[in-house]
Amino acid sequence: MRGVHGSLSLRHYGASHGSHAHDHFQVLLGLDGVLELEVQGRGQRIGAGDGCVIAPGERHDFEARSGSCCLVLDTADKGWARCASQPARPDQALALARYLVHALQQPDAMPLHYAPTLLLDAWRAPSLGAAQCSQRPVRLIDWQQLADWAQRHLHEPLSVAQLAAQVFLSPTQFAARCRRETGQSVMQWLRHQRLVQARQLRASGVSVTEAALRCGYQSPSALTAAMRRHWPDGLPA
């Protein structure tokens, strides 16, 4: 899956295929098994919970006698040059990696688009105490990007947790951010997305029955009542 700054994949390793090099950074995060890795003559073991950054041009070889599974990022982002000397167990990046493994199984998971940038940010993030954490900058939510994702899934019974996962927040954090940044609760925001989509469908000639189905309403009458409550003076042009 290609994101903003690289290509992310889940790979299974076994017998060695010989040493080789890339013209880009290759980032490995161990998920299962042990990968025996040699980079520029230096030996390293990548087990579950270990990480490694291979710089462009560095010759490397690998072998996993009992099999190994890693999340692999191929990227030209030069920001990874500063991570080569980071500790081999980037815990915050690995927590994100485990989530991305599940996201890779979904054909339309919005977080994958930003996965390379988020992994780099998590890898470089220092371990912070509670007092320091409160001072860290808040990650911006792209509400338009989230709305676009939600509109592709309006036929589903979306939950706060599902929406929160798209922006890497807990349900509680997302609910607070939604209220603060949009002035609405999560369910109010989601209902607005459903109604806006329904209005557009109806304006394009789609039947109320079909619009209700696509926008997650149980019946045409439920959609009609919701639209009347939302626009008591009639639908805007």
Side-chain angles (χ1 to χ4, degrees):
M1 173 66 69
R2 182 164 293 277
V4 175
H5 293 115
S7 177
L8 191 71
S9 61
L10 185 64
R11 301 185 192 177
H12 297 273
Y13 293 94
S16 169
H17 293 288
S19 66
H20 58 285
H22 306 291
D23 61 358
H24 55 263
F25 289 96
Q26 188 167 76
V27 182
L28 292 89
L29 291 158
L31 298 170
D32 187 41
V34 176
L35 180 67
E36 300 287 348
L37 185 66
E38 183 179 288
V39 182
Q40 294 289 94
R42 304 185 304 272
Q44 186 172 346
R45 291 166 62 91
I46 305 295
D50 294 324
C52 176
V53 178
I54 302 173
E58 289 190 331
R59 296 202 65 81
H60 56 283
D61 192 9
F62 58 80
E63 181 177 27
R65 296 180 182 179
S66 300
S68 172
C69 180
C70 295
L71 186 69
V72 179
L73 172 66
D74 293 296
T75 176
D77 189 338
K78 294 182 180 179
W80 284 101
R82 299 192 296 272
C83 297
S85 61
Q86 293 288 101
R89 298 181 64 86
D91 296 335
Q92 296 182 68
L94 288 165
L96 175 59
R98 293 189 183 97
Y99 170 76
L100 292 174
V101 169
H102 295 288
L104 278 169
Q105 312 306 315
Q106 308 301 320
D108 188 33
M110 189 177 73
L112 292 177
H113 183 68
Y114 298 103
T117 300
L118 291 171
L119 275 173
L120 176 58
D121 184 53
W123 193 294
R124 293 187 302 194
S127 297
L128 299 176
Q132 291 174 293
C133 285
S134 65
Q135 300 172 8
R136 293 186 66 186
V138 176
R139 189 183 303 281
L140 295 177
I141 296 176
D142 187 334
W143 290 99
Q144 184 57 56
Q145 186 88 21
L146 184 60
D148 292 343
W149 180 88
Q151 287 178 6
R152 295 193 296 272
H153 296 268
L154 291 178
H155 59 284
E156 304 172 15
L158 295 174
S159 66
V160 176
Q162 286 174 289
L163 292 166
Q166 299 305 310
V167 292
F168 298 101
L169 292 174
S170 71
T172 300
Q173 290 172 323
F174 178 66
R177 291 282 299 277
C178 186
R179 175 71 72 178
R180 184 167 67 248
E181 296 178 21
T182 72
Q184 300 174 302
S185 70
V186 176
M187 289 298 101
Q188 288 173 331
W189 180 87
L190 181 57
R191 182 165 58 250
H192 180 73
Q193 305 309 314
R194 294 187 189 280
L195 291 171
V196 168
Q197 180 78 336
R199 183 186 68 192
Q200 293 173 349
L201 290 172
R202 293 289 290 128
S204 67
V206 174
S207 70
V208 66
T209 299
E210 180 65 18
L213 183 64
R214 293 190 196 180
C215 296
Y217 284 89
Q218 295 183 345
S219 66
S221 60
L223 172 58
T224 300
M227 294 180 78
R228 286 175 177 168
R229 286 194 301 270
H230 196 73
W231 294 293
D233 297 327
L235 294 180

